[in-house]
């Protein structure tokens, strides 16, 4: 059982590294999709079946396709990206590395809740739907306004004759 | 496929996974100059946080965490839409998506 | 009805916002109508509350929201409806709406029409806040708001530099008074630990007479009142304030704003009762101002300046009445004065309007036949202010004189002198303006025209009020109630007052009245002889000599202030600005400026505008912050 998790984790990290270090943007996008797939697998292990589906549909499906579209549209699928200077690269790597250290050091002490729940069905659509439409109904409605604003915003920005 | 992950995988390991993914995202933001990759790395960071939420939700038996993941996805989708629209606009003006060219924050 | 009282304050504010934000887009007289309605509706509401308010009614405290709440300092945004604030509200909104209506006609072709009405509404709003606030801080908001509005309105025609100067002068003079008021508020708070009027009144009952803190506090409040109500030595702004459009003069400088000082003293009467020495000072300042301003008014040739000095003089009389503890009498004079002074100012405005901007009475004359309607209302106003029986001014002024006769013969004599002077300059103004023959070009005469209906209607309403205003507080011996309606209405407020006025012999009272009226009538005839029969004219400014020149020059007080205060202060400022500051600059420049400059020079390279660099910095700082938190936790 735990091997599935470690395999997925290893796969996710590997693909994420490829996302960063791949020269060709299109390959990066594809690797990111693989990362998201592995994360979706971890969701299944975590009994979050609804999130698994949403991860596949929204992230791997919609969002990444949007990225691909933009790449194709702007014709950026060549690896002509200029490289940063070495100083910037080392500085970035050091910053990210120390960030990782600090994060792990801080989160290592996380106190696990003593009460281990036997509830295994919290990730099902029925359960989540109940919570979403009772306790979180206001944020849920507000989210629709956010979407509307984002939609209007991106249409406006994308228009040709903006100026 | 309903099983108790909290009996087999220690929570620290999942947290570490999430941290590693997050820092890879940070590294990508810092190292790359292509704005689209940077946007993707931000998505990666959001996903790392999502894993954390889902983990705590599962380990505590509280569905609220998963709702938050849901809302984060909502925000991420909106953010990507607007972000990519901005990118297209930048591309139209500079014929490039290189963030190093955007050095006019001073003014 | 009381439930909706917040609308009284809200409507003028809404009017201000609507006119101020959208007014420039409106057509024709719409802003004027909005402004007028925004003041008239509060008047109706206040009237409704007034009729519900019986003698036994308790003051109504309406608490809207807590405003400031720090440690033991508490100030709520609340209003207090009691007879005093109700009466002031009626005056402000009633006369205010008449003046608004009049302004529609007077300002109709001004380019700042909407701006004018938004300022007027803001002014009414501030004034209402001033009189309705239940604590000193709300009063202070209104107090400052009124000062601001007077600045805006006096400098309304801001393209004229002199007008802007007059506006600045009013503002600065008011600030001096405001400082006194602030000091008074702070002092009172530190003494009573509350700034609510009602709570202070309860505490004040247990305070000894002539408590030093109370004396200083009341002195501070009085300084505030001096500034707002234009008493010596801070009166010079009021005559200069005539730079504003005439309805402004009527509204701010006759009917409402200058009464703020009177209101403050009446509102805080429970404190002043504890400080007899300050009350004496109030009387002396009042009488000095009254006579001083009246003398200056004798030699003014600008129709509005005469009225302005007469306002200062009348305000002085009110302060005298306050000084002897006759609060009701002072309020009565405030009311009638609001009627006839608004009438006179608006009438003067009508004259100026008819003559297309001419303000010098030497260029008028004989207008009686040209603008009949204006002549009649102006005549009524003049008779009322001079105190001819049975117009309103006679009752209020005689009440003051009667009270003074009872308290102090010296003050009585001086006040009588002052009110006779009033008669002199008012009759002079009347005769020179309306009698005799027209003294300017013939072709200008042909252009004289009566003011439109929208201006005359408010004038006639005010004229009727000026005639019958005395009914509000008829003395006992002319068929009034036991001691005056208004006194009866205001009585609950002064129940704590230790200086109640008892009543005097009816025969003596009638005698005093007859004496005053007789003297005024004699003055009227003498002046008629001089100015109408003999047609003598004020001399040109250049030919004046000696005392006359001094009076015409307002005793040179402005010049005195200029030499004694302004010039030395400016000199000191210049000295510090040029010598001392540059010296400091030299010293500090040597040590600090160079150092900071080099630090700044090296630091500003961080601000290079490069996004990537910023990102790395951001990540680095997050790391540092997290490490710090990590360390501190351990």
């Amino acid at each position: 059982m735990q091997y599935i998790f470690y395999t997925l984790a290893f796969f996710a990290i590997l693909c994420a590294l490829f996302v960063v270090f791949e020269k060709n943007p299109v390959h990066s996008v594809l690797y990111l999709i693989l990362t998201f797939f592995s994360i979706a697998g971890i969701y299944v292990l975590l009994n979050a079946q609804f999130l698994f589906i949403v991860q596949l549909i929204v992230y791997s499906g919609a969002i990444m396709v949007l990225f691909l579209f933009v790449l194709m549209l702007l014709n950026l699928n060549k690896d002509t990206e200029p490289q940063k200077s070495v100083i910037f690269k080392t500085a970035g790597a050091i910053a990210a590395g120390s960030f990782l250290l600090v994060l792990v050091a801080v989160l290592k002490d996380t106190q696990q809740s003593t009460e281990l729940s036997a509830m295994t069905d919290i990730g099902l659509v029925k359960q989540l739907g109940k919570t979403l439409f009772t306790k979180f109904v206001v944020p849920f409605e507000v989210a629709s306004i956010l979407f509307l604003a984002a939609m209007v915003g991106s249409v406006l920005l994308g228009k040709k004759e903006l100026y | 496929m309903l099983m108790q992950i909290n009996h087999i995988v220690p929570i620290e390991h999942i947290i570490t996974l999430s941290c590693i993914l997050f820092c890879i995202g940070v590294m990508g933001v810092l190292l790359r100059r292509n704005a689209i990759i940077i946007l993707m790395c931000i998505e990666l960071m959001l996903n790392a946080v999502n894993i954390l939420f889902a983990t705590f939700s599962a380990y505590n038996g509280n569905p609220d965490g998963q709702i938050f993941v849901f809302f984060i996805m909502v925000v991420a989708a909106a953010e990507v839409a607007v972000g990519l629209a901005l990118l297209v606009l930048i591309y139209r003006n500079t014929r490039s998506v290189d963030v190093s060219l955007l050095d006019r924050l001073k003014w | 009805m009381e439930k909706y009282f917040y609308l009284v304050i809200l409507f003028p504010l809404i009017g201000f916002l609507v006119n101020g934000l959208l007014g420039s887009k409106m057509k024709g007289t719409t802003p004027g109508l909005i402004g007028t309605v925004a003041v008239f509706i509060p008047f109706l509401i206040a009237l409704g509350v007034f009729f519900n308010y019986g003698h036994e009614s308790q003051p109504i405290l309406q608490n809207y929201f807590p405003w400031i709440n720090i440690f033991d300092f508490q100030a709520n945004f609340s209003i207090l409806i009691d007879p005093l604030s109700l009466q002031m509200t009626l005056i402000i909104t009633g006369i205010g709406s008449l003046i608004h209506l009049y302004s529609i006609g007077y300002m109709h072709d001004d380019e700042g029409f909407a701006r004018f009405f938004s300022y007027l509404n803001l002014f009414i709003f501030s004034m209402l806040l001033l009189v309705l606030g239940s604590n000193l801080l709300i009063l202070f908001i209104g107090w400052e708001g009124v000062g601001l509005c007077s600045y805006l309105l006096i400098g309304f025609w801001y393209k004229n530099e002199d007008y802007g100067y007059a506006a600045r002068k009013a503002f600065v003079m008011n600030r001096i008074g405001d400082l006194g008021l602030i000091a008074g508020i702070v002092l009172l708070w530190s003494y009573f630990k509350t700034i609510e009027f009602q709570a202070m009144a309860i505490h004040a009952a247990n305070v000894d007479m002539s408590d030093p803190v109370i004396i200083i506090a009341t002195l501070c409040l009085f300084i505030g009142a001096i500034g707002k109500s234009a008493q010596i030595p801070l009166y010079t702004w009021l005559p200069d304030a005539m730079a504003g459009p005439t309805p402004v003069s009527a509204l701010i400088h006759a009917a409402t704003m200058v009464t703020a000082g009177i209101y403050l003293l009446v509102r805080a009467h429970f404190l002043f009762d504890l400080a007899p020495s300050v009350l004496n000072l109030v009387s002396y300042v009042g009488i000095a101002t009254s006579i001083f301003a009246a003398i200056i008014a004798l030699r003014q040739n600008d129709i509005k300046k005469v009225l302005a000095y007469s306002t200062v003089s009348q305000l002085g009389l009110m302060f005298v009445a306050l000084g002897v503890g006759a609060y009701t009498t002072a309020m009565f004079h405030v009311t009638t004065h609001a009627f006839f002074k608004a009438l006179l100012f608006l009438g003067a405005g009508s004259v100026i309007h008819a003559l297309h901007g001419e303000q010098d009475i030497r260029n008028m004359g004989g207008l009686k036949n040209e603008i009949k309607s204006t002549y009649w209302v102006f005549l009524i106003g003049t008779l009322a202010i001079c105190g001819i029986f049975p117009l309103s001014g006679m009752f209020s002024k005689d009440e003051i004189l009667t009270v003074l006769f009872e308290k102090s013969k010296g003050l009585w004599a001086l006040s009588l002198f002052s009110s006779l002077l009033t008669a002199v300059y008012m009759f002079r103004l009347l005769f020179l303006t309306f009698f005799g023959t027209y003294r300017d070009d013939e072709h200008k005469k042909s252009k004289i025209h009566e003011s439109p209906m929208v201006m005359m209607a408010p004038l006639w309403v005010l004229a009727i009020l000026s005639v019958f205003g005395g009914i509000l507080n008829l003395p006992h011996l002319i068929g009034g109630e036991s001691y005056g309606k208004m006194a009866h209405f205001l009585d609950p407020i002064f129940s704590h007052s230790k200086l109640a006025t008892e009543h005097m012999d009816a025969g003596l009272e009638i005698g005093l009245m007859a004496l005053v009226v007789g003297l005024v009538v004699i003055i009227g005839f003498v002046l008629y002889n001089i100015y109408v029969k003999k047609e003598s004219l004020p001399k040109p400014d250049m030919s004046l000599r000696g005392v006359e020149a001094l009076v015409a020059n307002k005793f040179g007080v402005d010049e005195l202030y200029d030499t004694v205060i302004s010039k030395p202060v400016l000199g000191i400022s210049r000295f510090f600005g040029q010598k001392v500051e540059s010296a400091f600059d030299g010293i500090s420049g040597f040590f600090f400026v160079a150092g900071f400059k080099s630090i700044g020079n090296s630091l500003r390279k961080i601000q290079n505008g490069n996004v990537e660099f910023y990102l790395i910095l951001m990540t680095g700082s997050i790391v540092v912050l997290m490490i710090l938190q990590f360390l501190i936790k351990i």
Side-chain angles (χ1 to χ4, degrees):
Chain A
M1 220 10 246
Q2 65 266 54
Y3 299 116
I4 305 177
F5 170 76
Y6 290 117
T7 318
L8 282 174
F10 176 72
F11 200 61
I13 294 172
L14 197 69
C15 291
L17 285 173
F18 274 124
V19 171
V20 176
F21 292 112
E22 184 59 56
K23 292 265 184 322
N24 190 330
V26 179
H27 292 179
S28 278
V29 174
L30 295 176
Y31 279 120
L32 192 59
I33 294 178
L34 284 181
T35 314
F36 286 168
F37 269 119
S38 343
I39 292 174
I42 291 171
Y43 284 154
V44 176
L45 291 181
L46 287 171
N47 280 325
Q49 291 86 346
F50 176 66
L51 287 187
F52 166 71
I53 299 294
V54 175
Q55 176 84 3
L56 286 189
I57 297 174
V58 174
Y59 264 119
S60 316
I63 295 183
M64 295 324 289
V65 168
L66 203 57
F67 272 107
L68 275 179
F69 266 153
V70 172
L71 277 178
M72 299 302 176
L73 208 69
L74 303 185
N75 205 13
L76 291 173
N77 50 349
K78 329 172 258 284
D79 45 0
T80 53
E81 185 191 345
Q83 292 301 302
K84 289 198 179 185
S85 65
V86 187
I87 303 172
F88 265 119
K89 279 196 160 172
T90 35
I94 290 171
S98 43
F99 194 42
L100 175 64
L101 270 178
V102 174
L103 263 187
V104 172
V106 170
L107 287 176
K108 165 170 76 65
D109 303 333
T110 318
Q111 294 294 315
Q112 194 185 335
S113 163
T114 45
E115 152 215 17
L116 283 179
S117 168
M119 276 172 66
T120 51
D121 57 345
I122 53 166
L124 294 178
V125 181
K126 193 175 169 190
Q127 278 299 110
L128 276 188
K130 262 185 194 161
T131 325
L132 192 59
F133 287 107
T134 51
K135 197 172 168 187
F136 291 95
V137 65
V138 176
F140 182 74
E141 294 299 335
V142 173
S144 58
I145 299 175
L146 175 73
F147 265 135
L148 186 67
M151 208 159 76
V152 172
S154 38
V155 169
L156 189 74
L157 288 173
K159 262 173 68 177
K160 265 240 165 69
E161 309 81 18
L162 193 62
Y163 305 110
Chain B
M1 213 166 142
L2 299 176
M3 68 210 99
Q4 294 289 74
I5 194 172
N6 42 18
H7 292 326
I8 26 179
V9 180
I11 193 166
E12 288 84 5
H13 291 192
I14 310 187
I15 292 173
T16 315
L17 166 70
S18 161
C19 289
I20 292 173
L21 283 179
F22 190 86
C23 288
I24 291 174
V26 171
M27 197 156 69
V29 170
L30 293 181
L31 294 188
R32 299 298 295 256
R33 290 171 67 172
N34 188 332
I36 294 184
I37 308 279
I38 289 178
L39 216 53
M40 278 159 56
C41 287
I42 291 172
E43 293 303 310
L44 190 61
M45 282 148 74
L46 284 172
N47 265 275
V49 175
N50 281 353
I51 295 177
L52 221 51
F53 267 119
T55 309
F56 287 132
S57 163
Y59 276 65
N60 287 326
N62 184 348
D64 288 4
Q66 300 197 11
I67 302 285
F68 264 93
V69 174
F70 179 72
F71 281 125
I72 289 175
M73 284 179 180
V74 166
V75 173
E79 174 228 317
V80 165
V82 176
L84 285 177
L86 281 171
L87 266 185
V88 173
L89 208 63
I90 291 170
Y91 184 78
R92 240 186 248 155
N93 282 330
T94 63
R95 290 281 131 202
S96 153
V97 286
D98 190 346
V99 288
S100 308
L101 296 178
L102 308 175
D103 57 352
R104 289 166 62 179
L105 274 183
K106 260 204 285 207
W107 290 284
Chain C
M1 207 67 188
E2 289 84 2
K3 229 176 6 186
Y4 304 110
F5 207 78
Y6 64 91
L7 289 176
V8 169
I9 299 183
L10 210 56
F11 263 111
L13 183 64
I14 293 171
F16 158 66
L17 290 175
V18 169
N19 273 339
L21 297 175
L22 309 170
S24 56
K25 294 192 179 60
M26 293 178 202
K27 297 248 156 54
T29 53
T30 324
L33 289 175
I34 291 173
T36 311
V37 169
V39 181
F40 189 63
I41 293 176
F43 175 65
L44 293 179
I45 296 172
L47 212 58
V49 174
F50 172 74
F51 283 123
N52 279 345
Y53 200 95
H55 187 242
E56 275 72 43
S57 302
Q58 286 298 312
I60 306 161
L61 184 72
Q62 289 190 345
N63 204 343
Y64 296 127
F65 53 86
W67 183 33
I68 299 178
N69 202 346
I70 311 166
F71 301 115
D72 51 347
F73 179 81
Q74 212 180 359
N76 291 331
F77 201 93
S78 50
I79 63 172
L80 181 67
I81 308 170
D82 66 357
L84 177 61
S85 61
L86 211 49
Q87 188 188 348
M88 287 302 286
T89 307
L90 284 173
I91 296 175
I92 294 163
T93 52
I95 302 215
S97 30
L98 288 174
I99 292 172
H100 274 71
L101 188 64
Y102 177 92
S103 307
I104 295 178
Y106 192 82
M107 302 294 289
H108 65 89
D109 50 359
D110 196 283
E111 55 183 327
F113 190 70
R115 189 162 57 93
F116 184 73
F117 277 94
S118 69
Y119 289 168
L120 280 191
N121 276 353
L122 183 63
F123 172 78
I124 296 279
F125 166 72
S126 313
M127 194 68 202
L128 286 173
L129 219 53
L130 198 163
V131 296
L132 286 171
S134 79
N135 57 45
L136 278 166
L137 216 56
I138 304 290
L139 179 141
F140 186 71
I141 308 175
W143 192 273
E144 291 298 301
V146 166
L148 169 71
C149 292
S150 69
Y151 168 77
L152 291 173
L153 284 167
I154 295 166
F156 181 73
W157 286 316
Y158 54 86
K159 284 175 186 158
N160 184 327
E161 207 171 313
D162 288 343
Y163 294 179
Y165 178 74
R168 236 165 37 219
K169 185 172 176 182
F171 199 66
V172 172
M173 284 288 188
N174 267 302
R175 297 300 317 170
I176 300 172
D178 294 346
L179 193 65
L181 181 60
I182 296 174
I185 292 175
V186 173
L187 214 58
L188 284 174
W189 180 76
S190 64
Y191 192 73
F192 288 121
K193 294 289 168 206
T194 175
I195 51 169
E196 294 284 329
F197 291 122
Q198 287 179 317
M200 279 198 295
I202 292 167
H203 287 307
N206 306 323
V207 177
D208 297 335
M209 279 298 256
S210 298
D211 186 295
V213 179
I214 297 290
I215 288 187
I216 297 171
T218 47
L219 210 56
C220 289
L221 293 186
F222 180 52
I223 291 172
I226 284 180
K228 221 26 127 212
S229 289
Q231 297 297 298
I232 288 176
L234 298 179
Y235 73 94
T236 54
W237 66 271
L238 187 65
D240 278 16
M242 294 304 124
T246 310
V248 173
S249 314
L251 180 65
I252 296 191
H253 306 295
T256 52
M257 171 177 169
V258 288
T259 59
I262 315 271
Y263 168 79
L264 178 66
L265 259 61
V266 175
R267 180 52 92 194
H269 69 94
F270 49 85
L271 297 173
F272 283 90
D273 285 346
L274 296 171
S277 47
V278 177
L279 274 183
N280 283 338
L281 182 69
V282 171
S283 298
Y284 299 146
V285 169
I287 194 68
T289 310
S290 182
I291 293 177
F292 193 69
I295 292 174
I296 295 178
L298 291 176
R299 278 290 163 199
Q300 295 304 308
N301 292 322
D302 183 321
I303 184 167
K304 283 170 75 181
K305 280 253 159 85
V306 176
L307 293 173
Y309 277 106
S310 113
T311 303
V312 177
S313 169
Q314 298 295 316
L315 287 168
L317 270 186
M318 295 173 206
F319 273 99
V320 177
L322 289 177
V324 297
Y327 301 114
T328 329
T329 311
M331 283 311 290
F332 182 36
H333 198 52
V334 164
T335 314
T336 56
H337 177 254
F339 294 154
F340 56 68
K341 191 46 71 68
L343 172 63
L344 284 170
F345 263 115
L346 294 183
S350 178
V351 170
I352 296 167
H353 192 73
L355 296 178
H356 303 283
E358 179 61 62
Q359 299 197 4
D360 195 327
I361 48 175
R362 284 169 297 190
N363 296 334
M364 298 178 186
L367 298 177
K368 183 169 64 161
N369 303 319
E370 308 292 332
I371 41 177
K372 272 220 167 59
S373 206
T374 305
Y375 162 67
W376 278 109
V377 292
F378 205 87
L379 179 68
I380 290 171
T382 308
L383 295 181
I385 195 175
C386 293
I388 300 284
F389 182 84
L391 282 80
S392 60
M394 175 250 171
F395 290 105
S396 57
K397 201 183 280 181
D398 272 341
E399 208 174 302
I400 293 179
L401 289 175
T402 314
V403 172
L404 288 177
F405 188 77
E406 197 176 329
K407 297 275 180 193
S408 151
K409 298 284 186 292
L411 280 178
W412 172 77
L414 289 169
S415 304
L416 182 64
F417 179 55
S418 163
S419 54
L420 293 181
L421 285 178
T422 306
V424 175
Y425 61 70
M426 283 316 295
F427 277 124
R428 171 175 173 270
L429 181 67
L430 181 77
F431 293 147
L432 281 175
T433 308
F434 290 100
F435 287 78
T437 50
Y438 189 63
R439 290 184 287 274
D440 215 354
D441 305 357
E442 270 310 304
H443 78 274
K444 275 194 190 162
K445 188 176 176 179
S446 58
K447 282 192 193 154
I448 297 175
H449 62 89
E450 183 61 288
S451 305
M453 198 50 214
V454 70
M455 285 167 69
M456 288 318 291
L459 280 176
W460 278 109
V461 175
L462 284 170
I464 292 165
L465 285 171
S466 300
V467 174
F468 298 108
I471 294 175
L472 291 174
N473 202 15
L474 273 188
H476 182 40
L477 60 135
I478 317 184
E481 283 175 30
S482 59
Y483 59 117
K485 260 205 188 87
M486 188 186 282
H488 187 63
F489 179 62
L490 288 173
D491 194 41
I493 302 184
F494 305 113
S495 51
H496 303 292
S497 182
K498 289 160 193 154
L499 296 168
T501 42
E502 66 271 11
H503 270 268
M504 60 192 312
D505 186 36
L508 187 56
E509 207 175 334
I510 289 185
L512 285 175
M513 271 183 200
L515 174 68
V516 176
V517 174
L519 283 172
V520 167
V521 171
I522 292 169
I523 288 173
F525 276 115
V526 171
L527 285 177
Y528 186 79
N529 213 21
I530 297 175
Y531 285 113
V532 182
K533 287 269 172 59
K534 295 186 185 160
E535 296 199 5
S536 65
L537 278 180
K539 295 176 201 158
D541 293 337
M542 305 315 280
S543 67
L544 292 175
R545 289 283 172 272
V547 183
E548 277 187 323
L550 196 62
V551 174
N553 202 18
K554 306 151 200 167
F555 286 107
V557 173
D558 279 328
E559 287 75 11
L560 184 74
Y561 284 172
D562 202 41
T563 22
V564 176
I565 300 172
S566 301
K567 287 222 173 98
V569 169
L570 275 179
I572 293 170
S573 308
R574 218 166 275 136
F575 171 70
F576 274 98
Q578 289 169 357
K579 301 282 161 14
V580 180
E581 192 179 338
S582 60
F584 273 112
D585 274 354
I587 299 165
S588 60
F590 192 71
F591 290 107
F592 298 108
V593 178
F596 282 121
K597 227 178 195 169
S598 65
I599 295 173
N601 265 337
S602 48
L603 273 181
R604 78 168 180 196
K605 280 171 195 141
I606 294 176
Q607 183 85 10
N608 61 1
N610 189 339
V611 183
E612 304 156 297
F613 186 63
Y614 289 171
L615 277 172
I616 289 182
L617 275 189
M618 190 180 98
T619 321
S621 345
I622 293 174
V623 170
V624 170
L625 282 178
M626 286 181 86
I627 290 173
L628 276 181
Q629 203 196 358
F630 197 54
L631 291 179
I632 289 165
K633 223 195 276 174
I634 296 165

